[in-house]
Coordinates of all heavy atoms in Angstrom, one line a residue:
M1213 N 2.9 18.3 4.0 CA 2.3 17.4 5.1 C 1.7 18.3 6.1 O 2.3 19.3 6.5 CB 3.4 16.5 5.6 CG 2.9 15.6 6.6 SD 4.0 14.3 7.3 CE 5.5 14.6 6.6
A1214 N 0.6 17.9 6.6 CA 0.0 18.7 7.7 C 0.8 18.7 8.9 O 1.4 17.7 9.3 CB -1.4 18.2 8.0
K1215 N 0.9 19.9 9.5 CA 1.7 20.0 10.7 C 1.1 19.4 12.0 O 1.8 19.1 12.9 CB 2.0 21.5 11.0 CG 2.8 22.1 9.9 CD 3.1 23.6 10.1 CE 3.8 24.1 8.9 NZ 4.0 25.6 9.0
N1216 N -0.2 19.2 12.0 CA -0.9 18.7 13.1 C -1.1 17.2 13.2 O -1.8 16.7 13.9 CB -2.2 19.4 13.3 CG -2.1 20.9 13.6 OD1 -1.1 21.3 14.1 ND2 -3.0 21.6 13.1
L1217 N -0.4 16.4 12.3 CA -0.5 15.0 12.3 C 0.0 14.4 13.5 O 1.1 14.7 13.9 CB 0.2 14.4 11.1 CG -0.5 14.5 9.7 CD1 0.4 13.9 8.6 CD2 -1.9 13.9 9.7
Q1218 N -0.8 13.7 14.2 CA -0.4 13.0 15.4 C 0.3 11.7 15.1 O 0.2 11.2 14.0 CB -1.6 12.7 16.3 CG -2.4 13.9 16.7 CD -1.7 14.8 17.7 OE1 -0.9 14.2 18.5 NE2 -1.9 16.0 17.6
K1219 N 1.1 11.2 16.1 CA 1.8 10.0 15.9 C 0.8 8.8 15.5 O 1.2 8.0 14.7 CB 2.5 9.6 17.2 CG 3.4 8.4 17.1 CD 4.1 8.1 18.4 CE 5.0 6.9 18.3 NZ 5.7 6.6 19.5
E1220 N -0.4 8.8 16.1 CA -1.4 7.8 15.8 C -1.8 7.9 14.4 O -2.0 6.8 13.8 CB -2.6 7.9 16.8 CG -2.3 7.7 18.2 CD -1.7 9.0 18.9 OE1 -2.0 10.1 18.4 OE2 -1.0 8.9 19.9
D1221 N -1.9 9.1 13.9 CA -2.3 9.3 12.5 C -1.3 8.7 11.5 O -1.6 8.0 10.6 CB -2.6 10.7 12.2 CG -3.8 11.3 12.9 OD1 -4.7 10.5 13.2 OD2 -3.8 12.5 13.2
L1222 N 0.0 9.0 11.8 CA 1.1 8.5 11.0 C 1.2 7.0 11.1 O 1.4 6.3 10.1 CB 2.4 9.1 11.5 CG 2.5 10.7 11.3 CD1 3.8 11.2 11.9 CD2 2.4 11.1 9.8
Q1223 N 0.9 6.5 12.3 CA 1.0 5.0 12.5 C 0.0 4.3 11.7 O 0.2 3.2 11.3 CB 0.9 4.7 14.0 CG 1.3 3.3 14.4 CD 1.4 3.1 15.9 OE1 1.0 3.9 16.6 NE2 1.9 2.0 16.2
K1224 N -1.2 4.9 11.6 CA -2.3 4.2 10.9 C -1.9 3.9 9.4 O -2.3 2.9 8.8 CB -3.6 4.9 11.0 CG -3.8 6.1 10.2 CD -5.2 6.7 10.3 CE -5.3 7.9 9.4 NZ -6.7 8.4 9.4
Y1225 N -1.2 4.8 8.8 CA -0.8 4.7 7.4 C 0.3 3.6 7.3 O 0.2 2.7 6.4 CB -0.2 6.0 6.9 CG -1.2 7.1 6.7 CD1 -1.2 8.2 7.6 CD2 -2.3 7.0 5.8 CE1 -2.1 9.2 7.5 CE2 -3.2 7.9 5.7 CZ -3.2 9.1 6.6 OH -4.1 10.0 6.5
E1226 N 1.2 3.5 8.3 CA 2.2 2.4 8.3 C 1.5 1.1 8.5 O 1.9 0.1 7.9 CB 3.2 2.7 9.3 CG 4.0 4.0 9.1 CD 4.7 4.0 7.7 OE1 5.2 3.0 7.2 OE2 4.6 5.1 7.0
E1227 N 0.6 1.0 9.4 CA -0.1 -0.3 9.7 C -0.9 -0.7 8.5 O -0.9 -1.9 8.2 CB -1.0 -0.1 11.0 CG -0.3 0.0 12.2 CD -1.1 0.4 13.4 OE1 -2.4 0.6 13.2 OE2 -0.6 0.5 14.5
Q1228 N -1.6 0.2 7.8 CA -2.3 -0.2 6.6 C -1.4 -0.7 5.6 O -1.7 -1.7 4.9 CB -3.1 1.0 6.1 CG -3.9 0.7 4.9 CD -5.0 -0.3 5.1 OE1 -5.4 -0.6 6.2 NE2 -5.6 -0.7 4.0
L1229 N -0.2 -0.1 5.4 CA 0.8 -0.5 4.4 C 1.2 -1.9 4.8 O 1.4 -2.8 3.9 CB 2.0 0.4 4.4 CG 3.1 0.1 3.4 CD1 2.6 -0.1 2.0 CD2 4.2 1.1 3.5
I1230 N 1.5 -2.2 6.0 CA 1.9 -3.6 6.5 C 0.9 -4.6 6.1 O 1.2 -5.7 5.6 CB 2.3 -3.6 8.0 CG1 3.6 -2.8 8.2 CG2 2.5 -5.0 8.5 CD1 3.9 -2.5 9.6
R1231 N -0.4 -4.3 6.5 CA -1.5 -5.2 6.2 C -1.6 -5.5 4.7 O -1.8 -6.6 4.3 CB -2.8 -4.7 6.7 CG -3.0 -4.8 8.2 CD -4.4 -4.5 8.6 NE -4.8 -3.2 8.4 CZ -4.6 -2.1 9.2 NH1 -4.0 -2.3 10.3 NH2 -5.0 -0.9 8.9
C1232 N -1.6 -4.4 3.9 CA -1.7 -4.6 2.4 C -0.5 -5.3 1.8 O -0.7 -6.1 0.9 CB -1.9 -3.3 1.8 SG -3.5 -2.5 2.1
T1233 N 0.7 -5.1 2.4 CA 1.9 -5.8 1.9 C 1.7 -7.3 2.2 O 2.0 -8.1 1.3 CB 3.1 -5.2 2.5 OG1 3.2 -3.8 2.2 CG2 4.4 -5.9 2.1
Q1234 N 1.3 -7.6 3.4 CA 1.1 -9.0 3.8 C 0.1 -9.7 2.9 O 0.3 -10.8 2.4 CB 0.7 -9.1 5.2 CG 1.9 -8.8 6.2 CD 1.5 -8.7 7.6 OE1 0.3 -8.5 7.9 NE2 2.4 -8.8 8.5
A1235 N -1.0 -9.0 2.6 CA -2.1 -9.6 1.7 C -1.5 -9.8 0.3 O -1.8 -10.8 -0.3 CB -3.3 -8.6 1.7
L1236 N -0.8 -8.8 -0.2 CA -0.2 -9.0 -1.5 C 0.8 -10.1 -1.6 O 0.7 -11.0 -2.5 CB 0.5 -7.7 -1.9 CG 1.1 -7.6 -3.3 CD1 0.0 -7.3 -4.3 CD2 2.2 -6.6 -3.4
Q1237 N 1.7 -10.2 -0.6 CA 2.6 -11.3 -0.6 C 2.0 -12.7 -0.4 O 2.4 -13.7 -1.1 CB 3.6 -11.1 0.5 CG 4.6 -9.9 0.3 CD 5.5 -9.6 1.4 OE1 5.2 -9.9 2.6 NE2 6.5 -8.9 1.1
E1238 N 0.9 -12.7 0.4 CA 0.1 -14.0 0.5 C -0.5 -14.4 -0.8 O -0.5 -15.6 -1.2 CB -0.9 -13.8 1.6 CG -1.7 -15.1 1.9 CD -2.7 -14.9 3.0 OE1 -2.3 -14.3 4.1 OE2 -3.9 -15.2 2.8
C1239 N -1.1 -13.4 -1.5 CA -1.7 -13.7 -2.8 C -0.7 -14.2 -3.8 O -0.9 -15.2 -4.5 CB -2.4 -12.4 -3.3 SG -3.2 -12.7 -4.9
Q1240 N 0.5 -13.6 -3.8 CA 1.5 -14.0 -4.8 C 2.0 -15.4 -4.4 O 2.2 -16.2 -5.3 CB 2.7 -13.0 -4.7 CG 2.4 -11.7 -5.4 CD 3.5 -10.7 -5.2 OE1 4.4 -10.8 -4.3 NE2 3.5 -9.7 -6.0
A1241 N 2.1 -15.7 -3.1 CA 2.6 -17.0 -2.7 C 1.5 -18.1 -3.1 O 1.9 -19.2 -3.5 CB 2.8 -17.1 -1.2
N1242 N 0.2 -17.8 -2.8 CA -0.8 -18.7 -3.2 C -0.9 -19.0 -4.7 O -1.2 -20.1 -5.0 CB -2.2 -18.2 -2.7 CG -2.3 -18.2 -1.2 OD1 -1.6 -18.9 -0.5 ND2 -3.3 -17.4 -0.7
K1243 N -0.5 -18.0 -5.5 CA -0.5 -18.2 -6.9 C 0.8 -18.6 -7.5 O 1.0 -18.8 -8.7 CB -1.0 -16.9 -7.6 CG -2.5 -16.6 -7.3 CD -3.0 -15.4 -8.0 CE -4.4 -15.2 -7.7 NZ -5.0 -14.2 -8.6
Q1244 N 1.8 -18.8 -6.6 CA 3.2 -19.2 -6.9 C 3.8 -18.2 -7.9 O 4.3 -18.6 -8.9 CB 3.2 -20.6 -7.4 CG 2.8 -21.6 -6.3 CD 2.8 -23.0 -6.8 OE1 2.9 -23.3 -8.0 NE2 2.8 -23.9 -5.8
L1245 N 3.6 -16.9 -7.6 CA 4.1 -15.8 -8.5 C 5.1 -15.0 -7.7 O 5.0 -14.8 -6.5 CB 3.0 -15.0 -9.0 CG 1.9 -15.6 -9.8 CD1 0.8 -14.7 -10.1 CD2 2.5 -16.2 -11.1
R1246 N 6.1 -14.4 -8.4 CA 7.0 -13.5 -7.7 C 6.6 -12.0 -7.9 O 7.2 -11.2 -7.3 CB 8.4 -13.8 -8.3 CG 8.9 -15.1 -7.9 CD 10.3 -15.3 -8.3 NE 11.1 -14.3 -7.6 CZ 12.4 -14.3 -7.7 NH1 13.1 -15.1 -8.4 NH2 13.1 -13.3 -7.1
S1247 N 5.7 -11.8 -8.8 CA 5.3 -10.5 -9.2 C 3.8 -10.4 -9.6 O 3.3 -11.4 -10.2 CB 6.1 -9.9 -10.3 OG 5.6 -8.7 -10.8
C1248 N 3.1 -9.4 -9.3 CA 1.7 -9.2 -9.7 C 1.7 -9.1 -11.3 O 0.7 -9.5 -11.8 CB 1.1 -7.9 -9.1 SG 0.9 -8.0 -7.4
L1249 N 2.7 -8.6 -11.9 CA 2.7 -8.5 -13.3 C 2.7 -9.8 -14.0 O 2.3 -9.9 -15.2 CB 3.9 -7.7 -13.8 CG 4.0 -6.2 -13.2 CD1 5.2 -5.5 -13.7 CD2 2.7 -5.5 -13.6
Q1250 N 3.0 -10.9 -13.3 CA 2.9 -12.2 -13.9 C 1.5 -12.8 -13.8 O 1.2 -13.9 -14.4 CB 3.9 -13.2 -13.2 CG 5.3 -12.8 -13.3 CD 6.2 -13.6 -12.4 OE1 5.8 -14.0 -11.3 NE2 7.4 -13.8 -12.8
C1251 N 0.6 -12.2 -13.1 CA -0.7 -12.7 -12.9 C -1.7 -12.2 -13.9 O -1.7 -11.0 -14.3 CB -1.2 -12.2 -11.5 SG -2.9 -12.8 -11.0
E1252 N -2.6 -13.1 -14.4 CA -3.5 -12.7 -15.4 C -4.6 -11.8 -14.9 O -5.3 -11.1 -15.6 CB -4.2 -14.0 -16.0 CG -5.0 -14.8 -15.0 CD -5.5 -16.1 -15.6 OE1 -4.9 -16.7 -16.5 OE2 -6.6 -16.5 -15.1
D1253 N -4.7 -11.7 -13.5 CA -5.7 -10.8 -12.9 C -5.2 -9.5 -12.5 O -5.8 -8.8 -11.7 CB -6.4 -11.5 -11.7 CG -7.0 -12.8 -12.1 OD1 -7.7 -12.9 -13.2 OD2 -6.9 -13.8 -11.3
V1254 N -4.0 -9.1 -12.9 CA -3.3 -7.9 -12.5 C -4.2 -6.6 -12.7 O -4.3 -5.8 -11.8 CB -1.9 -7.7 -13.1 CG1 -2.0 -7.5 -14.5 CG2 -1.2 -6.6 -12.3
I1255 N -4.9 -6.6 -13.8 CA -5.7 -5.4 -14.1 C -7.0 -5.6 -13.3 O -7.7 -6.5 -13.4 CB -6.1 -5.3 -15.6 CG1 -4.8 -5.3 -16.5 CG2 -7.0 -4.1 -15.9 CD1 -3.9 -4.1 -16.3
G1256 N -7.3 -4.6 -12.5 CA -8.5 -4.6 -11.6 C -8.4 -5.4 -10.4 O -9.4 -5.6 -9.7
C1257 N -7.2 -5.9 -10.0 CA -7.0 -6.7 -8.8 C -7.2 -5.8 -7.6 O -6.4 -4.9 -7.4 CB -5.6 -7.4 -8.8 SG -5.3 -8.3 -7.3
K1258 N -8.1 -6.2 -6.7 CA -8.4 -5.4 -5.5 C -7.2 -5.5 -4.5 O -6.8 -4.5 -3.9 CB -9.7 -5.9 -4.8 CG -9.9 -5.1 -3.5 CD -11.3 -5.3 -3.0 CE -11.6 -4.6 -1.7 NZ -10.9 -3.4 -1.4
V1259 N -6.6 -6.6 -4.4 CA -5.4 -6.8 -3.5 C -4.3 -5.8 -3.9 O -3.8 -5.1 -3.1 CB -4.9 -8.2 -3.4 CG1 -3.6 -8.3 -2.6 CG2 -6.0 -9.2 -2.9
R1260 N -4.0 -5.8 -5.2 CA -2.9 -5.0 -5.7 C -3.3 -3.5 -5.6 O -2.5 -2.6 -5.3 CB -2.6 -5.3 -7.1 CG -1.4 -4.5 -7.7 CD -0.9 -5.1 -9.0 NE 0.3 -4.5 -9.4 CZ 0.4 -3.3 -10.1 NH1 -0.7 -2.7 -10.4 NH2 1.6 -2.8 -10.4
D1261 N -4.6 -3.2 -6.0 CA -5.1 -1.8 -5.9 C -5.0 -1.3 -4.5 O -4.6 -0.1 -4.2 CB -6.5 -1.7 -6.4 CG -6.6 -1.9 -7.9 OD1 -5.6 -1.8 -8.6 OD2 -7.7 -2.1 -8.4
D1262 N -5.4 -2.1 -3.5 CA -5.3 -1.7 -2.1 C -3.9 -1.5 -1.7 O -3.6 -0.5 -1.0 CB -5.9 -2.8 -1.2 CG -7.4 -2.9 -1.3 OD1 -8.1 -2.0 -1.9 OD2 -8.0 -3.9 -0.8
Y1263 N -3.0 -2.3 -2.2 CA -1.5 -2.2 -1.8 C -1.0 -0.9 -2.4 O -0.3 -0.1 -1.7 CB -0.7 -3.4 -2.4 CG 0.7 -3.2 -2.3 CD1 1.4 -3.3 -1.1 CD2 1.5 -2.8 -3.4 CE1 2.8 -3.0 -1.0 CE2 2.9 -2.6 -3.4 CZ 3.5 -2.7 -2.1 OH 4.9 -2.5 -2.1
V1264 N -1.3 -0.6 -3.7 CA -0.8 0.6 -4.3 C -1.3 1.9 -3.6 O -0.6 2.8 -3.3 CB -1.2 0.7 -5.8 CG1 -0.9 2.0 -6.4 CG2 -0.4 -0.4 -6.6
Q1265 N -2.6 1.8 -3.2 CA -3.2 2.9 -2.5 C -2.5 3.1 -1.1 O -2.3 4.2 -0.7 CB -4.7 2.7 -2.3 CG -5.4 3.8 -1.7 CD -5.5 5.1 -2.5 OE1 -5.4 5.0 -3.7 NE2 -5.6 6.2 -1.9
A1266 N -2.2 2.0 -0.4 CA -1.6 2.1 0.9 C -0.2 2.6 0.8 O 0.3 3.4 1.6 CB -1.5 0.7 1.5
V1267 N 0.5 2.3 -0.3 CA 1.9 2.8 -0.5 C 1.8 4.3 -0.7 O 2.5 5.1 -0.1 CB 2.6 2.2 -1.7 CG1 3.8 2.9 -2.2 CG2 2.9 0.7 -1.4
Y1268 N 0.8 4.7 -1.6 CA 0.6 6.2 -1.9 C 0.3 6.9 -0.6 O 0.9 8.0 -0.3 CB -0.5 6.3 -2.9 CG -0.8 7.8 -3.2 CD1 0.0 8.5 -4.0 CD2 -2.0 8.3 -2.7 CE1 -0.3 9.9 -4.2 CE2 -2.3 9.7 -2.9 CZ -1.4 10.4 -3.7 OH -1.7 11.7 -4.0
Q1269 N -0.6 6.4 0.2 CA -1.0 7.1 1.4 C 0.1 7.1 2.5 O 0.3 8.1 3.2 CB -2.3 6.4 2.0 CG -3.5 6.7 1.2 CD -4.7 6.0 1.8 OE1 -4.6 5.1 2.5 NE2 -5.9 6.5 1.3
S1270 N 0.9 6.1 2.5 CA 2.0 6.0 3.4 C 3.1 7.1 3.0 O 3.7 7.7 3.9 CB 2.7 4.6 3.4 OG 3.8 4.6 4.2
M1271 N 3.3 7.3 1.7 CA 4.3 8.2 1.2 C 3.8 9.7 1.5 O 4.7 10.5 1.9 CB 4.5 8.0 -0.3 CG 5.3 6.8 -0.6 SD 5.4 6.5 -2.3 CE 6.5 7.8 -2.8
N1272 N 2.5 9.9 1.4 CA 2.1 11.3 1.5 C 1.3 11.6 2.8 O 0.8 12.7 3.0 CB 1.4 11.8 0.3 CG 0.0 11.2 0.1 OD1 -0.5 10.6 1.0 ND2 -0.5 11.3 -1.1
K1273 N 1.2 10.6 3.6 CA 0.5 10.6 4.9 C -0.9 11.3 4.8 O -1.3 12.1 5.7 CB 1.4 11.4 5.9 CG 2.8 10.9 6.1 CD 2.8 9.5 6.5 CE 4.3 9.1 6.8 NZ 4.7 7.9 6.2
G1274 N -1.6 10.9 3.8 CA -3.0 11.4 3.7 C -3.2 12.7 3.0 O -4.3 13.1 2.7
E1275 N -2.1 13.4 2.7 CA -2.2 14.7 1.9 C -2.4 14.4 0.5 O -1.9 13.4 0.0 CB -0.9 15.5 2.1 CG -0.7 15.9 3.6 CD -1.7 16.9 4.0 OE1 -1.9 17.9 3.3 OE2 -2.2 16.7 5.1
S1276 N -3.1 15.2 -0.2 CA -3.2 15.1 -1.7 C -2.0 15.6 -2.4 O -1.2 16.3 -1.8 CB -4.5 15.8 -2.2 OG -4.3 17.2 -1.9
G1277 N -1.8 15.1 -3.6 CA -0.7 15.5 -4.4 C -0.1 14.3 -5.1 O -0.5 13.2 -4.9
G1278 N 0.8 14.6 -6.0 CA 1.4 13.5 -6.8 C 2.7 13.0 -6.1 O 3.2 13.5 -5.1
F1279 N 3.2 11.9 -6.7 CA 4.4 11.3 -6.3 C 5.6 12.2 -6.7 O 5.6 12.8 -7.8 CB 4.6 10.0 -6.9 CG 3.8 8.9 -6.4 CD1 2.8 8.3 -7.1 CD2 3.9 8.5 -5.1 CE1 2.0 7.3 -6.6 CE2 3.2 7.5 -4.5 CZ 2.2 6.9 -5.3
E1280 N 6.6 12.3 -5.9 CA 7.8 13.0 -6.2 C 9.0 12.1 -6.0 O 9.2 11.7 -4.9 CB 7.9 14.3 -5.4 CG 6.9 15.3 -5.7 CD 7.1 16.6 -5.0 OE1 8.3 16.9 -4.7 OE2 6.1 17.3 -4.7
F1281 N 9.7 11.8 -7.1 CA 10.8 10.9 -6.9 C 12.1 11.7 -7.1 O 12.2 12.7 -7.8 CB 10.8 9.8 -8.0 CG 9.6 8.9 -7.7 CD1 8.5 9.0 -8.5 CD2 9.7 7.9 -6.8 CE1 7.4 8.1 -8.2 CE2 8.6 7.0 -6.6 CZ 7.5 7.2 -7.3

């Protein structure tokens, strides 16, 4: 992680994750689904793709690299 990340920079990743999480949950509620995997539109879904990207960016705070579990 970059050492010069400001609090505002870190906060933008968290805010984006919250927005994308809310959009995903709203979509699931509208379609009466508990999971995206139950949706016929899961492949190529922009809402889900945005959410996955927001999770990734939140985890690595904008730095490149893979997931480490």
